[in-house]
Amino acid sequence: MQMATSRIRTVAYYALLSRVAIWAIAVASHALIQDYDSALDLILPIETSPQRLFKSIFGVFLRWDAFYFVHIAENGYAFEQAHAFFPLLPILMRFVANSVLAPLGSVMTYQQQIVLAGVLAANVSFILAAVQLYRLSNILFGNERFAFLSAMLYILTPSGIFMSAIYAESLFAAISFTGMIYTARRQYLPAAVLFSLSSTARSNGVLYAGFFVYDLVIQMDLSKTTMQKLLILSKTAILCAISWLGFLAVQAYGYSLYCSEDHSNVYMRPWCLAKPPLLYTFVQSFYWNVGFLRYYEIKQIPNFLMAAPMITLSAVGIYSYIMHDTRRALTLGRDSIYAGRKQTPPFMSQAMFPHIVLWAVLLLSNITTMHIQIITRAFSCLPPVYWFAAHQFGDKEYGLRVGYARSVTIFFVMYGLIGVILFANFFPPA
């Protein structure tokens, strides 16, 4: 217990240190390189010396999607396309600005308070997420060294700047990792509530209901009576419904804005008549050109190249797990050729199975439907990415090669460093 507490403090310390380092690199690179885009001047205009200082310190975290989160936090959902960005982070930003940062109103504009609240929310969430990943890994695998290494690799995440900027990834990671901890402890109700909350930060939170399906249905003891099976199915359905409530509430709010009879003076949008009328899918398709194979164009080759390292890491990780025990993959985790074997590397263990399935589903979705360049930051919230990376530092019998551990480390550090410099100066990827 004392060792675990000490490790948690160490993880938190290095997570904080990594945020300071990323901020310092971002500020330094921004001072040396001219911005590719001057949109920041519209959000944080320079009229006084304090405003100039604030912009130089925190402006590096206000890029690309961060503009939407700041605008939503300050003004609500004023435009339909803004609904591509979920409300949990803006709500938290507004709450922090109106409470914790309210005393600063005499020396800062409200917009600056909103920006500062977003930076604090992202960075504090990142530190919490690092700690929760350590705890989750320890609970699932019972291997303290592996858990600590996984947390350290998370701290070195290749999407480091996005975890500090005003983006929802860190907040989503902190909440979803905590939900996974409750799932690992078989405390499904708080897990469902947390997954529901996570789906108000990022849409892929709806997929995490799959953990309940796996634990309760796929792993069900078939010797149970029919009534017992029906009760388990009912429990699973309720848990899934709870975990989807957050996402559905966000969609219901959008429907009330554009489709209800109370707003008949507003031109009814075409998605209002769809079955089901989901604003999110419409916005992603109509405004952001998200759809099956839509991104497969010659002009997008550079974006596919930027995504190639994470795609490769993910594909190799999933393939390695499947090929290690094909019987387990074919039986959906109900049987294993290594059943009864005590010494199994954490990444190859039974506990990994639902995480591998989630990883595979998200990989397939990202490479066929989403903007491919976001895969690195989108996968920053997936524990198996770090578990597979940590696996390369483990048992040589099951790891790939010693050189792969070095390659993974270089990828994490170099991609993250380049990302900081590009992001801080308003260069893609976003």
Side-chain angles (χ1 to χ4, degrees), residues 15-29 60-61 123 126 154-165 416-417 419-421 423-424:
L16 173 61
L17 200 62
S18 73
R19 298 308 91 193
V20 174
I22 280 180
W23 167 78
I25 295 170
V27 170
S29 65
V60 291
F61 296 128
N123 286 273
F126 179 83
Y154 175 77
I155 290 169
L156 292 175
T157 179
S159 59
I161 185 62
F162 293 100
M163 311 305 278
S164 284
L417 179 60
V420 172
I421 297 171
F423 185 90

Side-chain angles (χ1 to χ4, degrees), residues 289-311:
N289 195 36
V290 171
F292 185 67
L293 300 184
R294 288 189 186 180
Y295 226 56
Y296 281 72
E297 302 175 299
I298 297 296
K299 65 180 181 180
Q300 301 298 346
I301 289 178
N303 285 325
F304 276 90
L305 292 176
M306 283 191 289
M310 182 57 75
I311 293 175

Side-chain angles (χ1 to χ4, degrees), residues 260-320:
S260 68
E261 294 181 1
D262 295 336
H263 297 81
S264 57
N265 59 319
V266 180
Y267 174 71
M268 184 170 286
R269 303 294 291 141
W271 63 269
C272 295
L273 304 176
K275 304 293 183 183
L278 295 178
L279 172 57
Y280 178 71
T281 54
F282 171 80
V283 166
Q284 288 284 5
S285 174
F286 187 79
Y287 292 101
W288 307 99
N289 195 36
V290 171
F292 185 67
L293 300 184
R294 288 189 186 180
Y295 226 56
Y296 281 72
E297 302 175 299
I298 297 296
K299 65 180 181 180
Q300 301 298 346
I301 289 178
N303 285 325
F304 276 90
L305 292 176
M306 283 191 289
M310 182 57 75
I311 293 175
T312 303
L313 178 72
S314 299
V316 172
I318 295 166
Y319 177 80
S320 299

Side-chain angles (χ1 to χ4, degrees), residues 223-283:
S223 65
K224 290 182 178 294
T225 65
T226 301
M227 181 56 67
Q228 288 174 322
K229 291 177 181 177
L230 288 175
L231 288 174
I232 290 174
L233 290 174
S234 300
K235 178 181 178 180
T236 305
I238 292 171
L239 290 169
C240 289
I242 292 172
S243 68
W244 293 331
L245 278 178
F247 176 83
L248 294 176
V250 173
Q251 301 312 299
Y253 173 72
Y255 188 89
S256 71
L257 290 180
Y258 302 99
C259 308
S260 68
E261 294 181 1
D262 295 336
H263 297 81
S264 57
N265 59 319
V266 180
Y267 174 71
M268 184 170 286
R269 303 294 291 141
W271 63 269
C272 295
L273 304 176
K275 304 293 183 183
L278 295 178
L279 172 57
Y280 178 71
T281 54
F282 171 80
V283 166

Side-chain angles (χ1 to χ4, degrees), residues 316-383:
V316 172
I318 295 166
Y319 177 80
S320 299
Y321 184 84
I322 292 173
M323 295 310 295
H324 174 71
D325 189 346
T326 53
R327 183 187 299 173
R328 180 171 54 195
L330 293 173
T331 61
L332 299 181
R334 293 189 62 88
D335 194 13
S336 170
I337 60 176
Y338 297 102
R341 181 170 178 172
K342 295 182 179 180
Q343 296 298 325
T344 303
F347 181 77
M348 296 300 180
S349 67
Q350 178 69 27
M352 275 296 304
F353 188 84
H355 294 275
I356 292 293
V357 173
L358 176 64
W359 197 8
V361 169
L362 287 172
L363 178 62
L364 182 63
S365 171
N366 273 264
I367 64 177
T368 60
T369 306
M370 306 301 291
H371 289 184
I372 196 64
Q373 70 268 26
I374 74 164
I375 191 171
T376 302
R377 67 176 171 91
F379 279 24
S380 64
C381 308
L382 279 178

Side-chain angles (χ1 to χ4, degrees), residues 135 139 178-195 212 215 235 239:
R135 295 178 64 216
I139 292 169
T178 305
M180 291 176 191
I181 288 174
Y182 280 107
T183 302
R185 291 173 173 168
R186 302 295 188 264
Q187 296 173 305
Y188 295 120
L189 183 56
V193 172
L194 285 164
F195 290 152
F212 308 134
D215 278 5
K235 178 181 178 180
L239 290 169

